Amino acid sequence: MVSELKIREEQCYKAYYCGVCREIGKAYGQAPRFGLTHEFAVLAMVLSCCIQHNQKIVLVRRPCIAHPFRKRLSYGNNPFIAYAAAMNVLFVQGKLKDNWVDEKKISALSAQTFFYAGGRKARKKYGDLHHILQTALEDLGRLEKAQCISVDEIAHPFANLIGKIFTIDGLVSGELSKSLYQLGYHLGKWIYLADAVSDRERDRKKKNYNVYNLRYGSDPVPETEQLTRELSLSHIAEAWEQLKRKANEDTASEQGYLDNLFYLGLRAQEYKLRQTERGGDAS
Amino acid sequence: MNPYEVLGVSESASDGEIKKAYRNLVKKYHPDHYKDQNMNHVAEEKIREINVAYDTIQKMRANGQTYAEYSAQNGNPHYGTEFARYQQAVEEIQRGDLDAAQARLLQIPEQNRDGAWYYLMGEIAKRRGWFDSAQQYFTAAVQLDPNNMLYRNALQNLYRHTQYYRNGGAQRGYQANTDDLCNCCQALWCADCCCECMGGDFIRCC
C-alpha cells in the first residue's frame, strides 16, 4: 500500500530534488548541498504547482557531484526551486547554530563554518524570513526553558515558520496565501509533533525537553492526542485540495506525487508512530 | 449594573412601561432571530440578563426599595454573563480577528468565566489550528454547562474533520486499515451515546 508511486511521479520528484541541490551548489557553494532535505524539494513542488509564473522551466540531464558517473534529470530555471534552495540554506544554518548553542556540539560548530559564506548570501536575499527563523528558534528555546506543557504552544513557532515559508512571507496574497499558510502551518506542526513522539525515548535518557514526556511521563500518549495530530493531517489535506483546484497546467506529476505524500506517506508515518506508542513505549 | 439600565428605562418609569420595555427586549433578542449559532447563543445570554433585571426590579418594587437601597443591601444583581464582551468577541471571531477576540475574552475576570467563555476560547483555538487547546476548552464548557447542546456538539464535531482526511485518502484508492486511525475511539464514543440514552454516561465530556 505504501509504495504506490507512478514512475513519472517519482522521476518528477527526483528532478525537483536534484534541481534544488544543483541550485544550492550554483548560488551558495558546494558545502551546503549536503544539508539538503526532502522537505525543501516538496516546498518547491507545492509552490510550482500553485503559483503562476511565466518562466520557461527546462529539464536538463547532467551528471552531478553526488552521482558523477550517471546523468540525472533535474529542473532548471524554476524560481521556486531557487527559493527552496535559499530556504534550505537558511534553515540548515539556523539549525546548526541552534545545535551549537543548545547542546554545544562541536560537529555543529565546525559545520557552521563551512556553511557560513553561503548562509550570508541567503540571509541578504531573504532578510525578513531569516528574521522570522531567528524569532522562531528563540521562541522555541524560551518555551522549552519554561517547560511548556501545551502541545499547541510548543509546536507553534516551528509551524508558523513553515507556514510563512510556504507563503514566501506574504509575497502571495488572498485565498492562495491562506491555503498555503494552512498547508505549511499544519505540515510544520505535524512534523514537530511526530518528531517529538519518536524522540521520546532518547529525550528521556538525555533528559532533554520533550512535551509528551512532560505531559505523560513514560506512559503512552492517549488516543485524543493522536487525534489532534490527525486533525493537522486533515487540515493539510483540506488546504491541498483547495490549492489543487487552481493548480497550474502541466503539473499532473507534481500533483500525483504530492497526493501520494499527503494522503499516504504521512498516513503511513502516523500509523507507524501509533504502533510504536502502543508497543510499550514505557520500556 | 443597574437593572433599569439593562431594560433601558428610568427608575421613575411606571410598572406598565417596564413591562412593555421588557417584552420589547425579549422580542428583539429572541434567539430564533439569529441564524448564526454563535450569535444565537449570545442572544440566549442576553435574554437571561434581561430576565434577571426584570425579576430584580419586581423584587425591589415589592419591597418599596430604590436601586441604591437594594444594591447597598444585596450588592449588584448577578447577571451571570458578560454579554457585551461576548458579543464583540463573536463579531471579531467572525471577522477573523482572533487576536482581538482572545484579548477581549481574557479581560473577563476569572470568577465570571462561564461555559460561554470556554466555548468561545475553544472556537478561537480551533480556528488557529490549536486543536489540543480547543478540546480542553470545549470540555471545560461542557462540564460547566452539561445541558448546552452547542458546547456538546462543538466537542463532538472537533474530531469530525478527520473524516476529511480519511475520505480523501479512500477516494484515491488508499484503503484505510480497519485497525487504523482510531476506530476504537469511535466505538467508545458510540458506546457512550448508547449509554447516555439509557441514562448512564461513562465519558463525562461527551
Side-chain angles (χ1 to χ4, degrees), chain A residues 248-279:
Chain A
N248 293 334
E249 284 172 23
D250 299 330
T251 51
S253 298
E254 281 91 337
Q255 288 181 37
Y257 179 84
L258 292 168
D259 263 346
N260 196 295
L261 173 72
F262 294 143
Y263 282 111
L264 203 56
L266 296 185
R267 179 198 288 253
Q269 284 292 323
E270 175 68 34
Y271 185 53
K272 223 162 84 189
L273 288 177
R274 288 179 193 194
Q275 293 286 44
T276 42
E277 276 293 301
R278 268 187 225 141

PDB file of all heavy atoms in Angstrom, chain A residues 248-279:
ATOM      1  N   ASN A 248      -1.603  25.006 -11.518  1.00  0.00           N
ATOM      2  CA  ASN A 248      -1.143  25.299 -12.880  1.00  0.00           C
ATOM      3  C   ASN A 248      -1.331  24.089 -13.782  1.00  0.00           C
ATOM      4  O   ASN A 248      -1.391  22.952 -13.315  1.00  0.00           O
ATOM      5  CB  ASN A 248       0.338  25.662 -12.851  1.00  0.00           C
ATOM      6  CG  ASN A 248       0.579  26.965 -12.132  1.00  0.00           C
ATOM      7  OD1 ASN A 248      -0.299  27.816 -12.079  1.00  0.00           O
ATOM      8  ND2 ASN A 248       1.761  27.107 -11.570  1.00  0.00           N
ATOM      9  N   GLU A 249      -1.377  24.365 -15.083  1.00  0.00           N
ATOM     10  CA  GLU A 249      -1.458  23.257 -16.045  1.00  0.00           C
ATOM     11  C   GLU A 249      -0.121  22.520 -16.081  1.00  0.00           C
ATOM     12  O   GLU A 249       0.897  23.048 -15.655  1.00  0.00           O
ATOM     13  CB  GLU A 249      -1.762  23.819 -17.439  1.00  0.00           C
ATOM     14  CG  GLU A 249      -3.202  24.236 -17.598  1.00  0.00           C
ATOM     15  CD  GLU A 249      -3.422  24.961 -18.914  1.00  0.00           C
ATOM     16  OE1 GLU A 249      -2.607  24.745 -19.830  1.00  0.00           O
ATOM     17  OE2 GLU A 249      -4.384  25.732 -18.990  1.00  0.00           O
ATOM     18  N   ASP A 250      -0.161  21.354 -16.628  1.00  0.00           N
ATOM     19  CA  ASP A 250       1.062  20.540 -16.782  1.00  0.00           C
ATOM     20  C   ASP A 250       1.735  20.222 -15.457  1.00  0.00           C
ATOM     21  O   ASP A 250       2.954  20.176 -15.373  1.00  0.00           O
ATOM     22  CB  ASP A 250       2.101  21.250 -17.684  1.00  0.00           C
ATOM     23  CG  ASP A 250       1.546  21.487 -19.058  1.00  0.00           C
ATOM     24  OD1 ASP A 250       0.715  20.670 -19.476  1.00  0.00           O
ATOM     25  OD2 ASP A 250       1.930  22.479 -19.690  1.00  0.00           O
ATOM     26  N   THR A 251       0.954  20.105 -14.390  1.00  0.00           N
ATOM     27  CA  THR A 251       1.596  19.732 -13.133  1.00  0.00           C
ATOM     28  C   THR A 251       0.996  18.427 -12.602  1.00  0.00           C
ATOM     29  O   THR A 251       0.975  18.190 -11.402  1.00  0.00           O
ATOM     30  CB  THR A 251       1.445  20.835 -12.064  1.00  0.00           C
ATOM     31  OG1 THR A 251       0.064  21.184 -11.974  1.00  0.00           O
ATOM     32  CG2 THR A 251       2.259  22.055 -12.396  1.00  0.00           C
ATOM     33  N   ALA A 252       0.530  17.581 -13.508  1.00  0.00           N
ATOM     34  CA  ALA A 252      -0.115  16.338 -13.081  1.00  0.00           C
ATOM     35  C   ALA A 252       0.840  15.458 -12.273  1.00  0.00           C
ATOM     36  O   ALA A 252       0.451  14.875 -11.257  1.00  0.00           O
ATOM     37  CB  ALA A 252      -0.635  15.580 -14.290  1.00  0.00           C
ATOM     38  N   SER A 253       2.100  15.401 -12.705  1.00  0.00           N
ATOM     39  CA  SER A 253       3.055  14.547 -11.991  1.00  0.00           C
ATOM     40  C   SER A 253       3.317  15.072 -10.589  1.00  0.00           C
ATOM     41  O   SER A 253       3.358  14.318  -9.623  1.00  0.00           O
ATOM     42  CB  SER A 253       4.375  14.465 -12.752  1.00  0.00           C
ATOM     43  OG  SER A 253       4.159  13.894 -14.000  1.00  0.00           O
ATOM     44  N   GLU A 254       3.475  16.405 -10.499  1.00  0.00           N
ATOM     45  CA  GLU A 254       3.697  17.012  -9.193  1.00  0.00           C
ATOM     46  C   GLU A 254       2.504  16.722  -8.277  1.00  0.00           C
ATOM     47  O   GLU A 254       2.670  16.316  -7.135  1.00  0.00           O
ATOM     48  CB  GLU A 254       3.862  18.532  -9.316  1.00  0.00           C
ATOM     49  CG  GLU A 254       5.222  18.995  -9.787  1.00  0.00           C
ATOM     50  CD  GLU A 254       5.258  19.127 -11.301  1.00  0.00           C
ATOM     51  OE1 GLU A 254       4.443  18.475 -11.981  1.00  0.00           O
ATOM     52  OE2 GLU A 254       6.107  19.889 -11.794  1.00  0.00           O
ATOM     53  N   GLN A 255       1.316  16.930  -8.837  1.00  0.00           N
ATOM     54  CA  GLN A 255       0.113  16.714  -8.032  1.00  0.00           C
ATOM     55  C   GLN A 255      -0.004  15.261  -7.599  1.00  0.00           C
ATOM     56  O   GLN A 255      -0.383  14.965  -6.474  1.00  0.00           O
ATOM     57  CB  GLN A 255      -1.127  17.122  -8.821  1.00  0.00           C
ATOM     58  CG  GLN A 255      -1.242  18.623  -8.970  1.00  0.00           C
ATOM     59  CD  GLN A 255      -2.499  19.004  -9.738  1.00  0.00           C
ATOM     60  OE1 GLN A 255      -3.533  18.387  -9.591  1.00  0.00           O
ATOM     61  NE2 GLN A 255      -2.395  20.029 -10.553  1.00  0.00           N
ATOM     62  N   GLY A 256       0.323  14.382  -8.527  1.00  0.00           N
ATOM     63  CA  GLY A 256       0.262  12.954  -8.195  1.00  0.00           C
ATOM     64  C   GLY A 256       1.208  12.618  -7.056  1.00  0.00           C
ATOM     65  O   GLY A 256       0.844  11.923  -6.098  1.00  0.00           O
ATOM     66  N   TYR A 257       2.422  13.149  -7.143  1.00  0.00           N
ATOM     67  CA  TYR A 257       3.402  12.869  -6.096  1.00  0.00           C
ATOM     68  C   TYR A 257       2.928  13.424  -4.753  1.00  0.00           C
ATOM     69  O   TYR A 257       2.998  12.751  -3.722  1.00  0.00           O
ATOM     70  CB  TYR A 257       4.766  13.480  -6.443  1.00  0.00           C
ATOM     71  CG  TYR A 257       5.783  13.220  -5.369  1.00  0.00           C
ATOM     72  CD1 TYR A 257       6.486  12.035  -5.339  1.00  0.00           C
ATOM     73  CD2 TYR A 257       5.989  14.140  -4.346  1.00  0.00           C
ATOM     74  CE1 TYR A 257       7.381  11.764  -4.325  1.00  0.00           C
ATOM     75  CE2 TYR A 257       6.875  13.887  -3.335  1.00  0.00           C
ATOM     76  CZ  TYR A 257       7.574  12.698  -3.324  1.00  0.00           C
ATOM     77  OH  TYR A 257       8.435  12.429  -2.308  1.00  0.00           O
ATOM     78  N   LEU A 258       2.429  14.654  -4.776  1.00  0.00           N
ATOM     79  CA  LEU A 258       2.031  15.298  -3.519  1.00  0.00           C
ATOM     80  C   LEU A 258       0.792  14.632  -2.930  1.00  0.00           C
ATOM     81  O   LEU A 258       0.691  14.470  -1.706  1.00  0.00           O
ATOM     82  CB  LEU A 258       1.805  16.792  -3.747  1.00  0.00           C
ATOM     83  CG  LEU A 258       3.099  17.570  -4.060  1.00  0.00           C
ATOM     84  CD1 LEU A 258       2.787  18.959  -4.560  1.00  0.00           C
ATOM     85  CD2 LEU A 258       4.004  17.638  -2.838  1.00  0.00           C
ATOM     86  N   ASP A 259      -0.139  14.226  -3.802  1.00  0.00           N
ATOM     87  CA  ASP A 259      -1.290  13.448  -3.329  1.00  0.00           C
ATOM     88  C   ASP A 259      -0.807  12.241  -2.540  1.00  0.00           C
ATOM     89  O   ASP A 259      -1.277  11.957  -1.444  1.00  0.00           O
ATOM     90  CB  ASP A 259      -2.090  12.914  -4.528  1.00  0.00           C
ATOM     91  CG  ASP A 259      -3.271  13.804  -4.850  1.00  0.00           C
ATOM     92  OD1 ASP A 259      -3.608  14.642  -4.000  1.00  0.00           O
ATOM     93  OD2 ASP A 259      -3.835  13.661  -5.945  1.00  0.00           O
ATOM     94  N   ASN A 260       0.116  11.546  -3.173  1.00  0.00           N
ATOM     95  CA  ASN A 260       0.648  10.342  -2.561  1.00  0.00           C
ATOM     96  C   ASN A 260       1.319  10.643  -1.224  1.00  0.00           C
ATOM     97  O   ASN A 260       1.117   9.939  -0.234  1.00  0.00           O
ATOM     98  CB  ASN A 260       1.652   9.723  -3.532  1.00  0.00           C
ATOM     99  CG  ASN A 260       1.971   8.305  -3.168  1.00  0.00           C
ATOM    100  OD1 ASN A 260       2.547   8.057  -2.123  1.00  0.00           O
ATOM    101  ND2 ASN A 260       1.557   7.379  -4.011  1.00  0.00           N
ATOM    102  N   LEU A 261       2.072  11.739  -1.206  1.00  0.00           N
ATOM    103  CA  LEU A 261       2.775  12.104   0.028  1.00  0.00           C
ATOM    104  C   LEU A 261       1.796  12.460   1.142  1.00  0.00           C
ATOM    105  O   LEU A 261       1.878  11.941   2.254  1.00  0.00           O
ATOM    106  CB  LEU A 261       3.699  13.292  -0.251  1.00  0.00           C
ATOM    107  CG  LEU A 261       4.374  13.884   0.979  1.00  0.00           C
ATOM    108  CD1 LEU A 261       5.438  12.938   1.490  1.00  0.00           C
ATOM    109  CD2 LEU A 261       4.981  15.232   0.672  1.00  0.00           C
ATOM    110  N   PHE A 262       0.833  13.348   0.831  1.00  0.00           N
ATOM    111  CA  PHE A 262      -0.048  13.855   1.882  1.00  0.00           C
ATOM    112  C   PHE A 262      -1.029  12.788   2.346  1.00  0.00           C
ATOM    113  O   PHE A 262      -1.321  12.686   3.541  1.00  0.00           O
ATOM    114  CB  PHE A 262      -0.818  15.088   1.395  1.00  0.00           C
ATOM    115  CG  PHE A 262       0.069  16.269   1.135  1.00  0.00           C
ATOM    116  CD1 PHE A 262      -0.170  17.137   0.077  1.00  0.00           C
ATOM    117  CD2 PHE A 262       1.160  16.513   1.955  1.00  0.00           C
ATOM    118  CE1 PHE A 262       0.660  18.221  -0.156  1.00  0.00           C
ATOM    119  CE2 PHE A 262       1.992  17.588   1.733  1.00  0.00           C
ATOM    120  CZ  PHE A 262       1.741  18.439   0.666  1.00  0.00           C
ATOM    121  N   TYR A 263      -1.565  12.027   1.401  1.00  0.00           N
ATOM    122  CA  TYR A 263      -2.599  11.071   1.795  1.00  0.00           C
ATOM    123  C   TYR A 263      -2.028   9.739   2.254  1.00  0.00           C
ATOM    124  O   TYR A 263      -2.662   9.025   3.004  1.00  0.00           O
ATOM    125  CB  TYR A 263      -3.575  10.844   0.644  1.00  0.00           C
ATOM    126  CG  TYR A 263      -4.556  11.969   0.494  1.00  0.00           C
ATOM    127  CD1 TYR A 263      -4.511  12.821  -0.591  1.00  0.00           C
ATOM    128  CD2 TYR A 263      -5.515  12.198   1.469  1.00  0.00           C
ATOM    129  CE1 TYR A 263      -5.396  13.866  -0.716  1.00  0.00           C
ATOM    130  CE2 TYR A 263      -6.409  13.245   1.355  1.00  0.00           C
ATOM    131  CZ  TYR A 263      -6.345  14.070   0.266  1.00  0.00           C
ATOM    132  OH  TYR A 263      -7.227  15.104   0.157  1.00  0.00           O
ATOM    133  N   LEU A 264      -0.840   9.407   1.735  1.00  0.00           N
ATOM    134  CA  LEU A 264      -0.353   8.069   2.012  1.00  0.00           C
ATOM    135  C   LEU A 264       0.946   8.063   2.811  1.00  0.00           C
ATOM    136  O   LEU A 264       1.073   7.348   3.801  1.00  0.00           O
ATOM    137  CB  LEU A 264      -0.148   7.344   0.678  1.00  0.00           C
ATOM    138  CG  LEU A 264      -0.169   5.846   0.786  1.00  0.00           C
ATOM    139  CD1 LEU A 264      -1.455   5.385   1.432  1.00  0.00           C
ATOM    140  CD2 LEU A 264      -0.040   5.245  -0.590  1.00  0.00           C
ATOM    141  N   GLY A 265       1.895   8.884   2.379  1.00  0.00           N
ATOM    142  CA  GLY A 265       3.185   8.910   3.059  1.00  0.00           C
ATOM    143  C   GLY A 265       3.033   9.342   4.506  1.00  0.00           C
ATOM    144  O   GLY A 265       3.506   8.671   5.427  1.00  0.00           O
ATOM    145  N   LEU A 266       2.331  10.462   4.717  1.00  0.00           N
ATOM    146  CA  LEU A 266       2.164  10.974   6.077  1.00  0.00           C
ATOM    147  C   LEU A 266       1.307  10.020   6.903  1.00  0.00           C
ATOM    148  O   LEU A 266       1.555   9.803   8.083  1.00  0.00           O
ATOM    149  CB  LEU A 266       1.521  12.365   6.048  1.00  0.00           C
ATOM    150  CG  LEU A 266       2.350  13.465   5.379  1.00  0.00           C
ATOM    151  CD1 LEU A 266       1.657  14.806   5.526  1.00  0.00           C
ATOM    152  CD2 LEU A 266       3.737  13.552   5.971  1.00  0.00           C
ATOM    153  N   ARG A 267       0.306   9.424   6.240  1.00  0.00           N
ATOM    154  CA  ARG A 267      -0.554   8.499   6.963  1.00  0.00           C
ATOM    155  C   ARG A 267       0.248   7.286   7.448  1.00  0.00           C
ATOM    156  O   ARG A 267       0.093   6.826   8.580  1.00  0.00           O
ATOM    157  CB  ARG A 267      -1.686   8.018   6.067  1.00  0.00           C
ATOM    158  CG  ARG A 267      -2.615   7.039   6.739  1.00  0.00           C
ATOM    159  CD  ARG A 267      -3.414   6.304   5.707  1.00  0.00           C
ATOM    160  NE  ARG A 267      -4.414   7.161   5.106  1.00  0.00           N
ATOM    161  CZ  ARG A 267      -5.711   7.067   5.349  1.00  0.00           C
ATOM    162  NH1 ARG A 267      -6.162   6.148   6.153  1.00  0.00           N
ATOM    163  NH2 ARG A 267      -6.559   7.871   4.783  1.00  0.00           N
ATOM    164  N   ALA A 268       1.129   6.794   6.554  1.00  0.00           N
ATOM    165  CA  ALA A 268       1.942   5.634   6.934  1.00  0.00           C
ATOM    166  C   ALA A 268       2.834   5.988   8.119  1.00  0.00           C
ATOM    167  O   ALA A 268       2.988   5.206   9.066  1.00  0.00           O
ATOM    168  CB  ALA A 268       2.777   5.186   5.738  1.00  0.00           C
ATOM    169  N   GLN A 269       3.401   7.201   8.079  1.00  0.00           N
ATOM    170  CA  GLN A 269       4.252   7.651   9.187  1.00  0.00           C
ATOM    171  C   GLN A 269       3.459   7.722  10.482  1.00  0.00           C
ATOM    172  O   GLN A 269       3.905   7.256  11.530  1.00  0.00           O
ATOM    173  CB  GLN A 269       4.810   9.044   8.870  1.00  0.00           C
ATOM    174  CG  GLN A 269       5.925   9.049   7.869  1.00  0.00           C
ATOM    175  CD  GLN A 269       7.168   8.407   8.438  1.00  0.00           C
ATOM    176  OE1 GLN A 269       7.463   8.568   9.613  1.00  0.00           O
ATOM    177  NE2 GLN A 269       7.875   7.662   7.617  1.00  0.00           N
ATOM    178  N   GLU A 270       2.297   8.321  10.373  1.00  0.00           N
ATOM    179  CA  GLU A 270       1.445   8.486  11.551  1.00  0.00           C
ATOM    180  C   GLU A 270       1.077   7.114  12.126  1.00  0.00           C
ATOM    181  O   GLU A 270       1.096   6.895  13.340  1.00  0.00           O
ATOM    182  CB  GLU A 270       0.185   9.261  11.147  1.00  0.00           C
ATOM    183  CG  GLU A 270      -0.872   9.421  12.223  1.00  0.00           C
ATOM    184  CD  GLU A 270      -0.436  10.309  13.371  1.00  0.00           C
ATOM    185  OE1 GLU A 270       0.299  11.267  13.136  1.00  0.00           O
ATOM    186  OE2 GLU A 270      -0.827  10.018  14.521  1.00  0.00           O
ATOM    187  N   TYR A 271       0.778   6.198  11.231  1.00  0.00           N
ATOM    188  CA  TYR A 271       0.397   4.850  11.652  1.00  0.00           C
ATOM    189  C   TYR A 271       1.556   4.176  12.374  1.00  0.00           C
ATOM    190  O   TYR A 271       1.382   3.535  13.408  1.00  0.00           O
ATOM    191  CB  TYR A 271      -0.019   4.054  10.414  1.00  0.00           C
ATOM    192  CG  TYR A 271      -0.538   2.680  10.722  1.00  0.00           C
ATOM    193  CD1 TYR A 271      -1.567   2.497  11.651  1.00  0.00           C
ATOM    194  CD2 TYR A 271      -0.023   1.564  10.074  1.00  0.00           C
ATOM    195  CE1 TYR A 271      -2.050   1.233  11.933  1.00  0.00           C
ATOM    196  CE2 TYR A 271      -0.499   0.307  10.348  1.00  0.00           C
ATOM    197  CZ  TYR A 271      -1.509   0.138  11.281  1.00  0.00           C
ATOM    198  OH  TYR A 271      -1.972  -1.104  11.558  1.00  0.00           O
ATOM    199  N   LYS A 272       2.750   4.390  11.846  1.00  0.00           N
ATOM    200  CA  LYS A 272       3.929   3.788  12.460  1.00  0.00           C
ATOM    201  C   LYS A 272       4.149   4.351  13.870  1.00  0.00           C
ATOM    202  O   LYS A 272       4.478   3.622  14.805  1.00  0.00           O
ATOM    203  CB  LYS A 272       5.154   4.069  11.589  1.00  0.00           C
ATOM    204  CG  LYS A 272       6.060   2.858  11.437  1.00  0.00           C
ATOM    205  CD  LYS A 272       6.999   2.992  10.263  1.00  0.00           C
ATOM    206  CE  LYS A 272       8.236   3.775  10.585  1.00  0.00           C
ATOM    207  NZ  LYS A 272       9.032   4.075   9.374  1.00  0.00           N
ATOM    208  N   LEU A 273       3.949   5.664  13.989  1.00  0.00           N
ATOM    209  CA  LEU A 273       4.111   6.293  15.305  1.00  0.00           C
ATOM    210  C   LEU A 273       3.158   5.680  16.317  1.00  0.00           C
ATOM    211  O   LEU A 273       3.514   5.428  17.462  1.00  0.00           O
ATOM    212  CB  LEU A 273       3.821   7.794  15.210  1.00  0.00           C
ATOM    213  CG  LEU A 273       4.857   8.652  14.503  1.00  0.00           C
ATOM    214  CD1 LEU A 273       4.376  10.090  14.448  1.00  0.00           C
ATOM    215  CD2 LEU A 273       6.179   8.578  15.224  1.00  0.00           C
ATOM    216  N   ARG A 274       1.927   5.441  15.858  1.00  0.00           N
ATOM    217  CA  ARG A 274       0.939   4.873  16.784  1.00  0.00           C
ATOM    218  C   ARG A 274       1.310   3.462  17.188  1.00  0.00           C
ATOM    219  O   ARG A 274       1.099   3.052  18.318  1.00  0.00           O
ATOM    220  CB  ARG A 274      -0.431   4.871  16.131  1.00  0.00           C
ATOM    221  CG  ARG A 274      -0.956   6.261  16.054  1.00  0.00           C
ATOM    222  CD  ARG A 274      -2.279   6.322  15.394  1.00  0.00           C
ATOM    223  NE  ARG A 274      -2.547   7.719  15.104  1.00  0.00           N
ATOM    224  CZ  ARG A 274      -3.717   8.180  14.760  1.00  0.00           C
ATOM    225  NH1 ARG A 274      -4.733   7.367  14.658  1.00  0.00           N
ATOM    226  NH2 ARG A 274      -3.874   9.452  14.526  1.00  0.00           N
ATOM    227  N   GLN A 275       1.851   2.722  16.215  1.00  0.00           N
ATOM    228  CA  GLN A 275       2.269   1.355  16.520  1.00  0.00           C
ATOM    229  C   GLN A 275       3.343   1.355  17.600  1.00  0.00           C
ATOM    230  O   GLN A 275       3.266   0.606  18.567  1.00  0.00           O
ATOM    231  CB  GLN A 275       2.838   0.666  15.267  1.00  0.00           C
ATOM    232  CG  GLN A 275       1.820   0.427  14.188  1.00  0.00           C
ATOM    233  CD  GLN A 275       0.864  -0.708  14.518  1.00  0.00           C
ATOM    234  OE1 GLN A 275       0.378  -0.790  15.642  1.00  0.00           O
ATOM    235  NE2 GLN A 275       0.597  -1.562  13.561  1.00  0.00           N
ATOM    236  N   THR A 276       4.344   2.243  17.438  1.00  0.00           N
ATOM    237  CA  THR A 276       5.417   2.257  18.428  1.00  0.00           C
ATOM    238  C   THR A 276       4.885   2.714  19.775  1.00  0.00           C
ATOM    239  O   THR A 276       5.308   2.216  20.816  1.00  0.00           O
ATOM    240  CB  THR A 276       6.577   3.190  18.010  1.00  0.00           C
ATOM    241  OG1 THR A 276       6.015   4.378  17.480  1.00  0.00           O
ATOM    242  CG2 THR A 276       7.459   2.544  16.985  1.00  0.00           C
ATOM    243  N   GLU A 277       3.943   3.655  19.762  1.00  0.00           N
ATOM    244  CA  GLU A 277       3.368   4.108  21.026  1.00  0.00           C
ATOM    245  C   GLU A 277       2.637   2.970  21.726  1.00  0.00           C
ATOM    246  O   GLU A 277       2.758   2.782  22.924  1.00  0.00           O
ATOM    247  CB  GLU A 277       2.379   5.254  20.775  1.00  0.00           C
ATOM    248  CG  GLU A 277       3.025   6.603  20.673  1.00  0.00           C
ATOM    249  CD  GLU A 277       3.628   7.038  21.993  1.00  0.00           C
ATOM    250  OE1 GLU A 277       2.887   7.132  22.968  1.00  0.00           O
ATOM    251  OE2 GLU A 277       4.843   7.268  22.052  1.00  0.00           O
ATOM    252  N   ARG A 278       1.883   2.219  20.940  1.00  0.00           N
ATOM    253  CA  ARG A 278       1.125   1.106  21.520  1.00  0.00           C
ATOM    254  C   ARG A 278       2.046   0.001  21.994  1.00  0.00           C
ATOM    255  O   ARG A 278       1.787  -0.643  22.985  1.00  0.00           O
ATOM    256  CB  ARG A 278       0.165   0.531  20.478  1.00  0.00           C
ATOM    257  CG  ARG A 278      -1.188   1.173  20.526  1.00  0.00           C
ATOM    258  CD  ARG A 278      -2.120   0.445  19.602  1.00  0.00           C
ATOM    259  NE  ARG A 278      -2.880   1.406  18.827  1.00  0.00           N
ATOM    260  CZ  ARG A 278      -3.189   1.278  17.549  1.00  0.00           C
ATOM    261  NH1 ARG A 278      -2.786   0.221  16.874  1.00  0.00           N
ATOM    262  NH2 ARG A 278      -3.887   2.191  16.934  1.00  0.00           N
ATOM    263  N   GLY A 279       3.136  -0.184  21.230  1.00  0.00           N
ATOM    264  CA  GLY A 279       4.027  -1.307  21.527  1.00  0.00           C
ATOM    265  C   GLY A 279       4.896  -1.064  22.746  1.00  0.00           C
ATOM    266  O   GLY A 279       6.078  -1.375  22.736  1.00  0.00           O
TER     267      GLY A 279
END
